[in-house]
Amino acid sequence: IIPSSSLLFSTQPIPEDEKSKPLKDVRKQLWNFYLSTGRGSNALFEAIDLNERGEIHPSELKAFMEEVLHEDPKELMPYAWNILEL
């Protein structure tokens, strides 16, 4: 029997915000790469389409924009944001 103090992995659940941090970092990197080079659109699409349906719904795009943009997307591009809210 191995004492619990010597276990290599914790049995405690990982909080949701810690689980999603690596994903947020990757999504930001993909966005910045796309902005700077104009390349990587397929990878960017896949990073937004997390449920792998092959389509992006307005709610997914809004969440992505809020996550990666350095400014408030409602102020940065109000017309586009209003379209997403229809």
Side-chain angles (χ1 to χ4, degrees):
I1 298 177
I2 301 172
S4 62
S5 62
S6 65
L7 290 175
L8 295 175
F9 301 101
S10 172
T11 57
Q12 299 296 320
I14 299 172
E16 283 301 316
D17 60 331
E18 286 183 31
K19 278 194 242 182
S20 63
K21 178 143 178 36
L23 176 61
K24 288 179 183 180
D25 292 344
V26 167
R27 291 170 77 164
K28 285 181 182 182
Q29 289 172 358
L30 287 170
W31 175 249
N32 289 331
F33 180 74
Y34 178 73
L35 282 180
S36 66
T37 66
R39 301 179 72 182
S41 59
N42 287 342
L44 183 60
F45 180 89
E46 290 174 9
I48 299 170
D49 181 30
L50 295 178
N51 55 13
E52 300 178 354
R53 289 187 313 246
E55 60 189 24
I56 298 175
H57 289 274
S59 60
E60 293 169 310
L61 190 54
K62 285 170 57 176
F64 175 79
M65 291 168 62
E66 290 174 326
E67 186 177 278
V68 302
L69 295 175
H70 300 288
E71 298 177 40
D72 182 3
K74 295 173 193 171
E75 293 177 16
L76 186 64
M77 48 189 120
Y79 179 75
W81 192 262
N82 287 337
I83 290 173
L84 290 174
E85 291 190 329
L86 293 178

